Every structure is written in structure tokens, then in C-alpha cells.
């Protein structure tokens, strides 16, 4: 088990996720986790526009928009499924819809029923690649970007050859 997994176990997953604002790439970019449901089914991330994440034309840097969304579906699913499962990011895409001109936010939803469905599918198939999507919105609620993530999920005791 890695250092960050030990920290999450010690402090609790929801508290660990709130502490992500101190993760160096997030600290510099101004990314903060503003809400985490105790059951990890719902999480909100915000990022203010600053000199450290502003691009050449004065709007949110695209890499910062993506990075604010990068780990959360993987972490939420990994933490909800538990240690018997391996969860990795497989691929990601981002569609830029309009410039981010101020504070932006993204809300990640992963209800318990969906996690139970993914667990059952993984147990039946050995390995799955579920797709998740989150929309980044501006302060007026207008879409700024859409991030699509494909994860890889398998049981730890499942043979990689079966995948």
C-alpha cells in the first residue's frame, strides 16, 4: 500500500479528498475540493482564475481545467469498491466549450447504486472499462469544458490474462 493510501486510511477517505487542495499541483493551480459526501458519492471541486493558471489570452489554462478533474472518478470508485479491486485511469478526453473567465467548478457524482452495479459487472466479467463524464461550469453555471474518463477496473485476485 502506498503512502497516500495509508494517509487516506488514517484520516478517512472523505477527509483525505478534502485535503487534496494541499497536493502541490493543486496548490499552485488554486484547485480545491469544496464538498465531499461522507459516502464518497458526490464531490465538488473548484478552481479560481489566478496568475498561476491563466493562459496567454487571460482565461483558464486548458491543462489546469483538465487537471482539476483528473483523479476524482478513479479515487471515488477505488475508495468505494475497496481494497479487493484495482482501479486505474485508462484514457481521457476534454472538450473545451467556452473560455473559463473566473472561478470554475465540477461536480462528480458516483452513487452507491452505480458502484454496486460496477462491482457486479467486474465480478462477472473479470475486468471492465466504465466511462464517466463531468462538466466544468463557470460561476453562471454555463459549461466551460467536458471531461470524459475511461477507467480500468478488475478484482485483485482476477488473472490479468482473463482481461
Amino acid at each position: 500500500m502506498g503512502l497516500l493510501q495509508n494517509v487516506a486510511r488514517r484520516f478517512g477517505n472523505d477527509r483525505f479528498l478534502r485535503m487534496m487542495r494541499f497536493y502541490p499541483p493543486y496548490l499552485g493551480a488554486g484547485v480545491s475540493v469544496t464538498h465531499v459526501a461522507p459516502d464518497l458519492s458526490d464531490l465538488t471541486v473548484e478552481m479560481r482564475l489566478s496568475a498561476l493558471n491563466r493562459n496567454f489570452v487571460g482565461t483558464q489554462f486548458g491543462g489546469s481545467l483538465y487537471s482539476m478533474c483528473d483523479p476524482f472518478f478513479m479515487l471515488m470508485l477505488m475508495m468505494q469498491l475497496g481494497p479487493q479491486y484495482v482501479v486505474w485511469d485508462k484514457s481521457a478526453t476534454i472538450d473545451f466549450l467556452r473560455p473559463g473567465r473566473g472561478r470554475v467548478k465540477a461536480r462528480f457524482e458516483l452513487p452507491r447504486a452505480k458502484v454496486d452495479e460496477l462491482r457486479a459487472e467486474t465480478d462477472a466479467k473479470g475486468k471492465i472499462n466504465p466511462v464517466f463524464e463531468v462538466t466544468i461550469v463557470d460561476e453562471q453555471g454555463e459549461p466551460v469544458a467536458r471531461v470524459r474518463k475511461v477507467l480500468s477496473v478488475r478484482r485483485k485476485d482476477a488473472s490479468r490474462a482473463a482481461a
Side-chain angles (χ1 to χ4, degrees):
M1 185 174 298
L3 173 67
L4 293 178
Q5 290 171 321
N6 285 328
V7 171
R9 174 174 278 167
R10 180 178 169 96
F11 289 102
N13 290 331
D14 58 332
R15 214 194 243 148
F16 171 78
L17 290 169
R18 277 194 221 77
M19 292 174 15
M20 290 285 290
R21 75 176 49 202
F22 301 110
Y23 180 51
Y26 282 179
L27 192 59
V31 175
S32 61
V33 176
T34 58
H35 167 76
V36 181
D39 67 354
L40 308 178
S41 64
D42 183 63
L43 181 143
T44 303
V45 177
E46 293 185 2
M47 181 173 63
R48 69 187 190 289
L49 182 61
S50 73
L52 297 176
N53 64 15
R54 189 180 309 259
N55 64 19
F56 187 75
V57 294
T59 61
Q60 293 280 5
F61 174 63
S64 294
L65 288 169
Y66 173 73
S67 75
M68 75 180 273
C69 297
D70 180 31
F72 295 107
F73 281 124
M74 183 190 81
L75 291 173
M76 291 168 72
L77 185 58
M78 179 187 305
M79 291 171 170
Q80 286 192 57
L81 284 174
Q84 313 88 310
Y85 295 84
V86 176
V87 182
W88 286 95
D89 284 325
K90 185 174 172 81
S91 66
T93 58
I94 184 168
D95 293 317
F96 300 105
L97 307 172
R98 69 170 27 97
R101 300 190 189 282
R103 184 178 299 270
V104 294
K105 71 178 179 178
R107 181 175 178 211
F108 301 83
E109 297 176 274
L110 189 53
R112 178 64 62 188
K114 178 69 175 175
V115 174
D116 291 343
E117 176 185 309
L118 294 172
R119 179 182 287 109
E121 186 178 357
T122 302
D123 291 348
K125 295 180 178 177
K127 182 178 178 182
I128 62 170
N129 299 117
V131 178
F132 300 92
E133 191 172 282
V134 65
T135 301
I136 302 168
V137 298
D138 63 18
E139 293 171 296
Q140 292 73 42
E142 295 294 322
V144 170
R146 189 164 296 113
V147 175
R148 181 178 183 267
K149 299 284 299 228
V150 179
L151 302 182
S152 172
V153 182
R154 69 174 175 82
R155 288 190 58 87
K156 275 191 177 171
D157 58 4
S159 166
R160 288 182 184 227

